Amino acid sequence: MAHPMFVKHQDLLASAVHAIESRGCWSPYRDELADYGGEAAVEAGRKAFFEAYPDAQFYLDQPGFVGRGGGEVSPYGVTLNVSYPKCSADALIATAKAAVPTWAKAGPDVRAAVCAEALERLNASSIELAFATMHTTGQSFALAFRDAGPRAQERGLEAVACAWREMKHVPYRATWEKTRGSRTPLKLEKRYTVMPRGVALVYSCATAPTWGSYPGIFASLATGNAVVVKPHPEAILPLAITVAHIRQTLKDAGFDPDLASLLVDTAEAPVARDVALKSDIGIIDYAGRAEFGNWLEDNVRDALLFTEKPGVTCIVVDGASDYVAMLDNIALSLVTNSGQRRGTPQAILVSQQGIHTPSVTIPAERFGPDLARAIGRLVEDTATACELLGAIRSPATLAQLAALAETGETLRASEKIVHPQWPEAQVRTPLLLDVPADAGDVWMEEQLAPVAFVVATPTTAQSLAFAERAIREKGALALSIYSDNENIVQLAEEVSLRTGTTLAINLTGTVLANESIGLSDYRASGLNPAAHGCLGDAGFVAGRFVVVESYRNG
Amino acid sequence: MAHPMFVKHQDLLASAVHAIESRGCWSPYRDELADYGGEAAVEAGRKAFFEAYPDAQFYLDQPGFVGRGGGEVSPYGVTLNVSYPKCSADALIATAKAAVPTWAKAGPDVRAAVCAEALERLNASSIELAFATMHTTGQSFALAFRDAGPRAQERGLEAVACAWREMKHVPYRATWEKTRGSRTPLKLEKRYTVMPRGVALVYSCATAPTWGSYPGIFASLATGNAVVVKPHPEAILPLAITVAHIRQTLKDAGFDPDLASLLVDTAEAPVARDVALKSDIGIIDYAGRAEFGNWLEDNVRDALLFTEKPGVTCIVVDGASDYVAMLDNIALSLVTNSGQRRGTPQAILVSQQGIHTPSVTIPAERFGPDLARAIGRLVEDTATACELLGAIRSPATLAQLAALAETGETLRASEKIVHPQWPEAQVRTPLLLDVPADAGDVWMEEQLAPVAFVVATPTTAQSLAFAERAIREKGALALSIYSDNENIVQLAEEVSLRTGTTLAINLTGTVLANESIGLSDYRASGLNPAAHGCLGDAGFVAGRFVVVESYRNG
């Protein structure tokens, strides 16, 4: 008899597989707050959040308890001080390992359905997740809601759909019967079982804790692995809520909740490196800063490894059919989440031959000041500015921002905005600098602070060559091109294909070059240093399980 | 308009995809010599082979020519002395890299069809490939025909089918249209392109040069990569013939033949390590001895790596419904190809509680002598013995065989058989030794010589525990169990699932525990040290390509 969760979710899974093969706009998770109860629900959620969490002990019934830890401080100035159970990594791994055989035996349908159920419950908690994400990452509520809620859930479902499709390609059994002329046929009865690698480790980051980790968490669970989630010590809460939901779902489905656990550490006593090298870890997913990602790439031997690092996103400006719409889109991408969003454009390469528009060629030197004004328009109204910018998460980022001011000619200084509700929040507009193309040590370095560089180049072909060099050396997930000349767009497409970067062409409106939507967009490629592979494709899931065969004479 | 090769092969490709999803007995490549013209064709092929090859200069119009090399000696005593063009690895890689963009643009259908055409041509050359394999590996003609011909081609087609299926899951384009209440819908036009990693390197081994390398060669070509084939210096000819056919097929299909090339080196001046670390190598496939495989695993950083090493295959003997049929099957697996076949059973673990049969329990101490007699029956007739055993390929193997005689109590000594047609061939029957279970330094070490150890254990449960230890420490592709007790079979299945080894249950007849047939069997898993992954599944192909996306406002 089919598991009740599979009965409940099989149509959803089939639709999700259709979605990953057609890649249009489809999602079971609505992304308008109105669909979640609107302002009233947000207000109720805010109240509930501040009643539930500050100074609370987050409950997770995990093995290997050694004490409590935590101590997150909201970038909006609220001391959350939630404490989480700290558990020994060895205990979490050992318990997870012991739970794997039963989970493996449950088979692809049940596992995919349990994952879908967990995602449905997370979706119902999107407002709670939004507040948890807002007060750990510094994102504004509206952005946190979308990214930590439906957008993250879509990415999780995409991974489940990819995994389910691949596992369903494997038959349960086969009769192999070979005729041999007049002799008795050779006959074998074969059985095939999908088996997981074992225990997976997922690192979540401080800027997109759920969005960045759901693909790995759900890809590994769906393929029969257990998952230990190691959150960034400054953004634990969104993952604690996530793991709690997954554990409860596993339990309700009749499985061991220890298949998913939270490994909490502190900045003072980090465990991130130790745990990566433990021999029972079969898969590692990491999304975050290049430094630790590179360390994993250099040191992890036996585990399957997926890293995703921000790299340097370039925008090449050659021309525009609507100059102002281009400026507005670029400005919006720089302002959104104070550039702390992974892959925020950092270098804008403009040919000295000017910017071609249908009516005139705009002199290159006008571009920087025009972009500065476009940023100014976006942040003119304080309320809107705060919604877009959110708060700077880390004091280190502020220090970096101050230091960067000297590295180029200022096109627009970073301004401090006083948040009307949260006066302690560090709200800053992006710094816009003009730097020469040969200052690659500045504009080609991964900057975490909200800064963008306008880089003058001799020609657009040179701009593309500089962008390609940045991608090859530093990595990138995306490249953006503005041109009304299809030959130039074609050249950019060739750079994109060669380097494995998503190409955004002539974007206007509210879609950003560093956006990537689950069930439609393939994110990252593994063809440049920004990533080891791609989210949302077969390669992301297929190595997480193997097929083990047995056969006997038939 | 569809490419003519796709028109020709699209039905074959569809059938192959059906085969990998149903895993029954299907192959487009017949495996009876009668289907290739029988004895007359063999005779004609033999004559043609000896007219064409000894002392010949093998022609391959490759770039970077620096001289000629080769000098293979047949294990049957014929000095082949074929010389091959030696080309600079850098030149081969650079030319391959330059050819990739056009090959990538050709798309999945055309590439899969070109691979199918190359396999069809290789199939038509199966007799030639059989002689080339016989006179480099030492396999008898009959075995060489099957393994280097249809069996290798099936494995190649399986890889093509897996790759084609995965690439076809990716849509070419999508319209992403998001309704937003009363506002204008957001609309994006997206394009998705399958892109290869770049240049792939495939190492072929000296014992199964085509069988072991076709999966990697064809998986990489089908996914848009170029392939540099580095054959073992003592078994170049089968790969030279293979690469020549692939190059001609590429040319006939309108592509650059340098997408496939042969990198010849000599034992005196090996290039295997240098080339593995070159930055332009994106994928490496290796099948062969553990030593070099481990080196690759320790040293390769940036390339996607697939290794397959023999490890230690165990047979656990608990009981049998037909004792003699069991002995005959085990004996056949030891005799076939003098144990030089990858994964030949090496340790036969027998419980001291005896062997359960429907009528009586046979005392454990009878097993060794009975197996020795079963071997004796198989090699009694010299002609049959030579057909089964083939010739020992390497003098080192003979030396190892001599040294091993002292490591246990002899159950059956290795005999020298004089080959009626090839008196210089080193034909040897397998050595059968009795060793205690605690002599793991002998029976648990990967032995290349034709030797098997009968290992006495207290119970069958202990036998399974020893086998599991051997698999975990040394790796294995397969495990074989003989028992008429389904509870014991169940225990063995659990070991097999836990360790990712194919389980052969109560095999009798001519199917061997270390056999693995393309389009039906999944070979290797990556769950134990014998391999990094599995042949014939999505994980083997999916990482060889990525999806690169571009989008613009719609």
Side-chain angles (χ1 to χ4, degrees):
Chain A
M1 212 181 67
H3 191 287
M5 282 191 194
F6 183 66
V7 173
K8 179 178 173 189
H9 291 294
Q10 60 182 327
D11 288 349
L12 173 77
L13 291 169
S15 299
V17 168
H18 177 72
I20 57 170
E21 296 189 353
S22 51
R23 298 269 159 186
C25 181
W26 177 85
S27 170
Y29 314 119
R30 307 298 301 266
D31 66 356
E32 299 286 343
L33 267 169
D35 298 309
Y36 295 76
E39 271 312 308
V42 175
E43 218 21 76
R46 188 192 322 266
K47 235 180 113 186
F49 182 83
F50 283 108
E51 273 166 20
Y53 287 115
D55 300 314
Q57 299 205 336
F58 196 102
Y59 178 74
L60 280 174
D61 182 24
Q62 294 190 159
F65 180 84
V66 292
R68 300 194 70 89
E72 294 145 297
V73 174
S74 164
Y76 291 92
V78 186
T79 300
L80 287 181
N81 197 33
V82 185
S83 87
Y84 306 89
K86 287 175 73 175
C87 301
S88 117
D90 288 332
L92 294 180
I93 292 169
T95 327
K97 196 178 167 185
V100 163
T102 309
W103 185 232
K105 271 189 197 131
D109 287 347
V110 174
R111 288 196 305 267
V114 171
C115 289
E117 174 68 21
L119 285 163
E120 184 182 290
R121 296 181 188 191
L122 289 166
N123 181 249
S125 302
S126 290
I127 289 180
E128 183 186 6
L129 284 161
F131 281 110
T133 302
M134 174 184 178
H135 287 289
T136 48
T137 66
Q139 289 173 33
S140 72
F141 176 78
L143 283 179
F145 162 74
R146 201 165 287 197
D147 273 15
R151 286 280 178 277
Q153 293 142 18
E154 281 157 17
R155 213 87 238 193
L157 183 63
E158 178 184 71
V160 173
C162 288
W164 189 56
R165 176 182 63 186
E166 291 307 329
M167 294 186 292
K168 296 295 277 182
H169 282 325
V170 180
Y172 292 103
R173 50 175 55 82
T175 299
W176 184 89
E177 188 163 3
K178 188 171 170 58
T179 52
R180 301 184 297 168
S182 55
R183 287 175 292 165
T184 322
L186 275 181
K187 195 171 166 190
L188 296 171
E189 293 296 337
K190 303 186 176 186
R191 271 176 43 182
Y192 309 95
T193 308
V194 166
M195 289 298 289
R197 286 201 177 255
V199 181
L201 175 65
V202 180
Y203 294 94
S204 64
C205 65
T207 53
T210 61
W211 198 99
S213 64
Y214 280 17
I217 291 174
F218 286 99
S220 282
L221 281 174
T223 48
N225 299 277
V227 170
V228 175
V229 179
K230 158 71 188 76
H232 189 287
E234 293 166 16
I236 303 171
L237 188 53
L239 272 303
I241 296 170
T242 299
V243 168
H245 274 299
I246 295 174
R247 289 174 64 87
Q248 187 60 48
T249 309
L250 285 162
K251 213 168 162 182
D252 294 347
F255 296 99
D256 190 332
D258 290 335
L259 287 164
S261 64
L262 190 74
L263 176 61
V264 171
D265 67 352
T266 55
E268 297 72 46
V271 302
R273 290 181 189 225
D274 282 356
V275 72
L277 304 179
K278 291 195 185 280
S279 63
D280 278 326
I281 297 295
I283 307 169
I284 298 178
D285 286 273
Y286 170 81
R289 293 179 59 168
E291 191 192 350
F292 188 66
N294 294 338
W295 181 87
L296 288 170
E297 289 171 9
D298 288 342
N299 290 280
V300 170
R301 282 291 150 279
D302 298 327
L304 189 67
L305 176 65
F306 293 90
T307 59
E308 193 204 301
K309 299 162 287 181
V312 175
T313 303
C314 296
I315 299 179
V316 171
V317 174
D318 174 70
S321 58
D322 184 339
Y323 180 67
V324 174
M326 170 183 78
L327 291 173
D328 286 346
N329 181 270
I330 296 175
L332 183 62
S333 70
L334 302 183
V335 165
T336 299
N337 197 17
S338 317
Q340 291 169 104
R341 206 182 171 101
R342 193 148 45 244
T344 295
Q346 178 174 310
I348 305 156
L349 301 144
V350 185
S351 153
Q352 280 164 338
Q353 302 186 327
I355 297 145
H356 306 286
T357 76
S359 47
V360 290
T361 294
I362 293 163
E365 54 276 20
R366 256 193 59 194
F367 176 82
D370 285 347
L371 179 59
R373 273 187 292 273
I375 294 171
R377 286 195 294 276
L378 276 175
V379 298
E380 206 164 23
D381 173 69
T382 301
T384 311
C386 291
E387 272 302 275
L388 286 172
L389 290 164
I392 301 283
R393 196 183 63 76
S394 154
T397 306
L398 288 178
Q400 202 195 18
L401 187 59
L404 280 163
E406 306 302 311
T407 58
E409 197 184 313
T410 305
L411 290 163
R412 192 172 200 287
S414 174
E415 300 163 297
K416 183 172 165 60
I417 293 181
V418 179
H419 198 296
Q421 285 95 54
W422 306 98
E424 289 177 57
Q426 299 287 354
V427 183
R428 292 285 190 287
T429 67
L431 171 65
L432 189 65
L433 295 173
D434 190 303
V435 295
D438 61 7
D441 56 329
V442 178
W443 70 262
M444 245 188 234
E445 283 305 313
E446 181 187 321
Q447 307 290 359
L448 302 171
V451 64
F453 304 95
V454 175
V455 184
T457 70
T459 62
T460 294
Q462 291 265 357
S463 294
L464 285 167
F466 276 119
E468 182 161 1
R469 201 184 117 199
I471 296 166
R472 291 195 185 279
E473 291 180 14
K474 303 296 173 178
L477 303 174
L479 168 68
S480 179
I481 175 82
Y482 285 93
S483 178
D484 59 352
N485 177 342
E486 276 301 316
N487 293 329
I488 295 285
V489 172
Q490 182 62 35
L491 283 179
E493 289 222 284
E494 281 162 27
V495 173
S496 146
L497 292 173
R498 273 200 298 270
T499 58
T501 40
T502 299
L503 183 67
I505 305 165
N506 293 329
L507 275 197
T508 57
T510 55
V511 176
L512 305 181
N514 56 322
E515 220 167 323
S516 174
I517 294 176
L519 300 158
S520 179
D521 294 322
Y522 293 86
R523 182 174 173 91
S525 70
L527 296 193
N528 70 64
H532 244 209
C534 171
L535 299 190
D537 75 349
F540 186 67
V541 299
R544 294 173 198 258
F545 69 91
V546 300
V547 182
V548 182
E549 179 177 338
S550 71
Y551 60 96
R552 54 175 94 202
N553 296 86
Chain B
M1 213 182 66
H3 192 285
M5 283 191 194
F6 183 66
V7 174
K8 179 177 173 190
H9 291 293
Q10 60 181 326
D11 289 349
L12 173 76
L13 291 169
S15 299
V17 168
H18 177 73
I20 57 169
E21 296 190 352
S22 51
R23 298 267 159 189
C25 181
W26 178 83
S27 170
Y29 314 118
R30 308 297 303 267
D31 64 357
E32 300 286 344
L33 267 169
D35 297 311
Y36 294 77
E39 271 312 309
V42 175
E43 219 21 76
R46 188 191 322 267
K47 233 180 115 188
F49 181 84
F50 283 108
E51 271 166 21
Y53 287 115
D55 301 313
Q57 300 206 334
F58 196 101
Y59 178 74
L60 280 174
D61 182 24
Q62 295 188 158
F65 179 85
V66 291
R68 299 193 71 89
E72 294 144 297
V73 175
S74 165
Y76 291 92
V78 186
T79 300
L80 287 180
N81 197 32
V82 185
S83 87
Y84 306 90
K86 286 174 72 175
C87 302
S88 119
D90 287 332
L92 294 180
I93 292 169
T95 326
K97 197 178 167 185
V100 163
T102 308
W103 184 231
K105 271 190 198 131
D109 288 347
V110 173
R111 288 195 305 266
V114 170
C115 288
E117 174 69 21
L119 285 163
E120 183 182 291
R121 297 183 188 188
L122 289 166
N123 181 249
S125 301
S126 291
I127 289 179
E128 182 185 7
L129 284 161
F131 281 110
T133 303
M134 173 184 178
H135 287 288
T136 47
T137 67
Q139 289 173 33
S140 71
F141 177 79
L143 283 179
F145 163 74
R146 203 165 285 199
D147 274 15
R151 287 279 178 277
Q153 292 142 17
E154 281 157 19
R155 213 86 239 192
L157 184 63
E158 178 183 71
V160 173
C162 288
W164 190 56
R165 177 182 63 184
E166 292 305 330
M167 293 186 292
K168 296 296 275 184
H169 282 325
V170 180
Y172 292 102
R173 50 175 55 80
T175 299
W176 185 89
E177 187 162 4
K178 188 170 170 57
T179 53
R180 302 185 298 168
S182 56
R183 287 176 291 165
T184 323
L186 275 181
K187 195 171 166 190
L188 295 172
E189 293 297 338
K190 302 186 176 186
R191 270 176 45 181
Y192 309 96
T193 307
V194 165
M195 288 298 290
R197 285 201 178 257
V199 181
L201 175 65
V202 179
Y203 294 94
S204 64
C205 66
T207 54
T210 61
W211 199 98
S213 64
Y214 280 16
I217 291 174
F218 286 99
S220 282
L221 281 174
T223 48
N225 299 278
V227 169
V228 175
V229 179
K230 158 69 190 77
H232 189 287
E234 292 165 18
I236 302 170
L237 188 52
L239 272 302
I241 295 170
T242 299
V243 168
H245 275 298
I246 295 174
R247 289 173 64 87
Q248 188 59 48
T249 309
L250 284 163
K251 212 167 162 184
D252 294 347
F255 296 99
D256 189 332
D258 291 334
L259 288 163
S261 64
L262 190 74
L263 175 62
V264 171
D265 67 353
T266 55
E268 296 72 45
V271 302
R273 290 182 189 226
D274 282 355
V275 71
L277 304 179
K278 291 197 184 278
S279 63
D280 278 326
I281 297 294
I283 307 168
I284 298 179
D285 286 272
Y286 170 80
R289 293 179 59 169
E291 191 192 352
F292 189 67
N294 294 339
W295 182 87
L296 288 171
E297 289 172 9
D298 288 342
N299 290 280
V300 170
R301 282 291 149 279
D302 297 327
L304 189 68
L305 176 65
F306 292 90
T307 60
E308 193 204 301
K309 300 163 285 182
V312 175
T313 303
C314 295
I315 299 180
V316 171
V317 174
D318 174 71
S321 58
D322 184 338
Y323 181 67
V324 175
M326 170 182 77
L327 292 171
D328 287 345
N329 181 270
I330 296 175
L332 184 62
S333 71
L334 302 183
V335 165
T336 299
N337 196 16
S338 316
Q340 291 169 105
R341 207 181 171 102
R342 192 146 48 242
T344 294
Q346 179 175 308
I348 306 157
L349 300 144
V350 184
S351 154
Q352 278 162 340
Q353 302 186 328
I355 297 145
H356 307 287
T357 75
S359 46
V360 291
T361 294
I362 293 162
E365 53 275 20
R366 256 192 58 193
F367 177 81
D370 285 349
L371 179 59
R373 274 187 291 275
I375 294 171
R377 286 195 294 275
L378 276 174
V379 299
E380 207 164 21
D381 173 68
T382 301
T384 310
C386 290
E387 273 300 276
L388 286 172
L389 291 163
I392 301 283
R393 196 184 62 77
S394 154
T397 306
L398 288 177
Q400 202 195 17
L401 187 60
L404 280 163
E406 305 303 312
T407 58
E409 196 183 313
T410 304
L411 290 163
R412 193 172 198 286
S414 174
E415 300 163 298
K416 183 173 165 59
I417 293 180
V418 179
H419 198 297
Q421 283 96 54
W422 307 98
E424 288 177 58
Q426 299 287 354
V427 182
R428 293 286 190 285
T429 67
L431 172 65
L432 189 66
L433 295 174
D434 191 303
V435 296
D438 61 8
D441 56 330
V442 178
W443 70 263
M444 246 188 233
E445 283 306 314
E446 181 187 321
Q447 307 289 359
L448 301 171
V451 63
F453 304 96
V454 175
V455 184
T457 71
T459 62
T460 294
Q462 291 265 357
S463 294
L464 285 168
F466 276 119
E468 184 162 358
R469 202 185 117 199
I471 297 165
R472 289 194 187 281
E473 290 180 13
K474 304 296 172 180
L477 303 175
L479 169 68
S480 179
I481 175 81
Y482 286 94
S483 179
D484 59 352
N485 177 342
E486 276 300 316
N487 293 328
I488 295 286
V489 172
Q490 182 62 37
L491 283 179
E493 290 222 285
E494 281 163 25
V495 173
S496 143
L497 291 174
R498 273 200 295 272
T499 59
T501 41
T502 299
L503 183 68
I505 305 165
N506 294 328
L507 274 196
T508 57
T510 53
V511 176
L512 306 181
N514 55 324
E515 219 166 324
S516 175
I517 293 177
L519 300 160
S520 179
D521 294 322
Y522 293 86
R523 181 174 173 93
S525 71
L527 296 191
N528 71 64
H532 244 209
C534 170
L535 299 191
D537 76 349
F540 186 66
V541 299
R544 294 174 198 258
F545 68 90
V546 299
V547 182
V548 183
E549 180 178 339
S550 70
Y551 60 97
R552 54 174 94 202
N553 296 87

